[in-house]
Amino acid sequence: MADTRLPPGTAGPSKYDRLIAKARACEPAVTIVAHPCDETSLRGALEARSAGLIEPILVGPQAKIRSLAASLGLDLAGVEIVDAPHSHGAAAKAVELVRAGRGELLMKGSLHTDELMKEVAASATGLRTDRRISHVFVMDVPGHEETLFITDAAINIFPDLDAKRDIIQNAIDLWRGVGLGTPKVAILSAVETVTTKIPSTIEAAALCKMAERGQITGGIVDGPLAFDNAIDPEAARIKGIVSAVAGHGQILVVPDLEAGNMLAKNLTFLAHADAAGIVLGARVPIILTSRADSVRTRLASCAVATLYASARRGMTQIVAD
């Protein structure tokens, strides 16, 4: 297989730009935006609307949202606003609107992630399904040809084997849903051999067997793999690893949140990668944005979610027919 690395200094086509262009060809997904009460969150939602990616419904203090838009020169014409008194009320109302079928996506505004996820995870009134909720970073790494998914680096702190099965399946479903084909899933550890001294290598081996038995579907799964031989063909060759995944990993499954968070941030701050974020496993995909996100990263998060919503919409229509 071809080496996925690009020569130093070669920009290559933007992975995000391709995703955004593809999403623009889809019907914009109705998106419930919880508490967009600062410039980043309000502007981000409206920019995604202008780009043809989403159709936002803003949920929060209506007077505050209108005042903020006026101060920033943002046009709210044609945008529905559902009044809610504060961030907690906005989170609860946003989830209620999703449960009522008003939106295909949920988007975080200027409230804390925990505040929104508490409402999402509520047993009686939330958006839980039988699948474990997990997060995926969609990484655009300069110099690396492939889009990389890193999971889970934001929700599950120390996932057990069953949780990791769901984390992997969520990521595979997203990869396929946005039209990227059949993913190569690398289950990461510190080494590429199974050893009782490192429990994550044993879990990786078990997950591979689960994939063989059809408990994980839709992707090519291998592990344990160290980070270098998961993404670098030469490192895999030197180690003598014969695998369809080694050297060509596209979904990188980390042992725990600490490892994933450090990996994603290392790529962001040292390799100058962009990191779009989306939460899966709930009734609808959830777009998580950060105040530090660039415009392109915010648009990419919306594009990925819209592509996935379009794929889910298509599957629902097939079932209905």
Side-chain angles (χ1 to χ4, degrees):
M1 298 181 68
D3 192 328
T4 59
R5 296 171 299 174
L6 297 175
T10 302
S14 165
K15 280 79 78 176
Y16 278 3
D17 290 344
R18 290 198 295 265
L19 287 170
I20 291 167
K22 190 173 182 179
R24 281 179 171 146
C26 299
E27 180 183 343
V30 177
T31 303
I32 311 299
V33 187
H35 203 255
C37 292
D38 67 0
E39 179 177 357
T40 300
S41 58
L42 181 57
R43 189 183 294 278
L46 296 179
E47 284 171 345
R49 179 177 188 254
S50 296
L53 299 175
I54 66 171
E55 187 56 51
I57 297 175
L58 310 180
V59 182
Q62 183 166 178
K64 185 174 183 178
I65 292 171
R66 292 195 180 280
S67 175
L68 176 62
S71 70
L72 297 172
L74 300 175
D75 185 8
L76 292 176
V79 178
E80 181 179 354
I81 302 175
V82 176
D83 193 43
H86 41 60
S87 60
H88 177 71
K93 187 64 177 179
V95 168
E96 179 186 321
L97 290 172
V98 171
R99 285 178 62 91
R102 291 290 312 280
E104 295 178 280
L105 303 174
L106 178 62
M107 185 175 184
K108 173 181 170 288
S110 58
L111 73 174
H112 197 278
T113 299
D114 286 349
E115 193 171 11
L116 179 61
M117 293 309 298
K118 180 181 179 181
E119 295 298 325
V120 169
S123 57
T125 58
L127 303 175
R128 279 193 172 278
T129 67
D130 292 338
R131 189 80 65 80
R132 183 71 169 247
I133 292 173
S134 63
H135 180 271
V136 173
F137 274 122
V138 180
M139 308 289 297
D140 185 346
V141 184
H144 191 74
E145 186 179 4
E146 298 277 7
T147 298
L148 291 178
F149 283 12
I150 296 176
T151 190
D152 180 344
I155 300 289
N156 296 283
I157 299 174
F158 295 112
D160 61 18
L161 191 64
D162 289 333
K164 285 184 177 179
R165 191 218 75 88
D166 282 358
I167 288 168
I168 293 170
Q169 193 65 63
N170 285 342
I172 290 173
D173 290 351
L174 178 64
W175 184 278
R176 296 176 68 94
V178 302
L180 294 174
T182 300
K184 299 177 178 66
V185 182
I187 306 173
L188 299 184
S189 186
V191 296
E192 62 282 347
T193 53
V194 178
T195 171
T196 57
K197 295 177 181 178
I198 305 178
S200 62
T201 66
I202 299 173
E203 287 195 339
L207 289 163
C208 290
K209 182 55 68 175
M210 292 170 80
E212 286 182 20
R213 294 287 192 266
Q215 293 172 266
I216 299 170
T217 61
I220 304 168
V221 181
D222 196 13
L225 291 168
F227 179 72
D228 57 345
N229 50 59
I231 65 161
D232 186 272
E234 181 63 12
R237 187 193 66 79
I238 291 170
K239 287 291 183 73
I241 304 171
V242 180
S243 162
V245 175
H248 304 280
Q250 296 165 318
I251 296 175
L252 307 181
V253 182
V254 297
D256 54 46
L257 183 145
E258 289 179 312
N261 196 271
M262 286 187 279
L263 173 57
K265 287 181 177 175
N266 279 337
L267 291 173
T268 299
F269 287 95
L270 294 179
H272 307 291
D274 288 320
I278 185 169
V279 171
L280 305 164
R283 290 194 187 185
V284 299
I286 302 167
I287 303 166
L288 291 187
T289 56
S290 165
R291 285 174 294 179
D293 286 346
S294 66
V295 171
R296 199 167 69 99
T297 298
R298 290 198 298 271
L299 291 180
S301 295
C302 292
V304 169
T306 291
L307 285 167
Y308 193 37
S310 178
R312 285 158 55 99
R313 196 184 305 138
M315 288 302 297
T316 300
Q317 184 62 45
I318 290 171
V319 172
D321 291 344

